[in-house]
Amino acid sequence: LRSSIGDYGEVAATLGAGPTHTLRTVTLPLIAPALISGVVLAFARALGEFGATITFAGNRPGTTQTAPLKIYLDAINDPEQALPLALVLMVIAMAVVVAVHLRTRRVAV
């Protein structure tokens, strides 16, 4: 964001554009390709990890079942039962991402 937007936001502000208008008409169009690339790469990575989990982790219910496999099987059989575990995994993943981000910011400062 810092390198691609540069002074465009400041120029828009000096021309009278508000923060919301600047975000919608300047910032988002500039970062849209990066956001789309990030989403596609994250999705591809998630599919790869899921495939590796299915292949190598095993799936003996009650014995060797991993959380992604449990969510997958529950999504097929009972989608309402898969949602809580999926949310727990998402919250844990987000906590890890935030913790790593905060740690790298603290080290860099």
Side-chain angles (χ1 to χ4, degrees):
L1 281 173
R2 288 183 194 129
S3 65
S4 66
I5 294 174
D7 296 328
Y8 295 118
E10 292 176 21
V11 170
T14 60
L15 293 174
T20 306
H21 185 69
T22 302
L23 175 69
R24 191 176 65 247
T25 59
V26 176
T27 306
L28 289 179
L30 283 173
I31 64 170
L35 287 176
I36 292 168
S37 298
V39 167
V40 169
L41 289 172
F43 183 72
R45 177 69 181 186
L47 285 178
E49 291 297 324
F50 184 71
T53 300
I54 286 177
T55 304
F56 298 112
N59 188 18
R60 185 172 293 159
T63 311
T64 61
Q65 195 169 35
T66 62
L69 291 175
K70 172 102 171 93
I71 293 169
Y72 175 70
L73 293 174
D74 285 348
I76 292 171
N77 299 327
D78 185 15
E80 290 180 12
Q81 190 176 357
L83 188 61
L85 184 56
L87 290 175
V88 167
L89 282 181
M90 287 176 27
V91 167
I92 291 171
M94 189 60 143
V96 169
V97 168
V98 168
V100 168
H101 177 71
L102 291 176
R103 177 183 158 97
T104 56
R105 279 188 92 187
R106 201 171 343 156
V107 170
V109 174

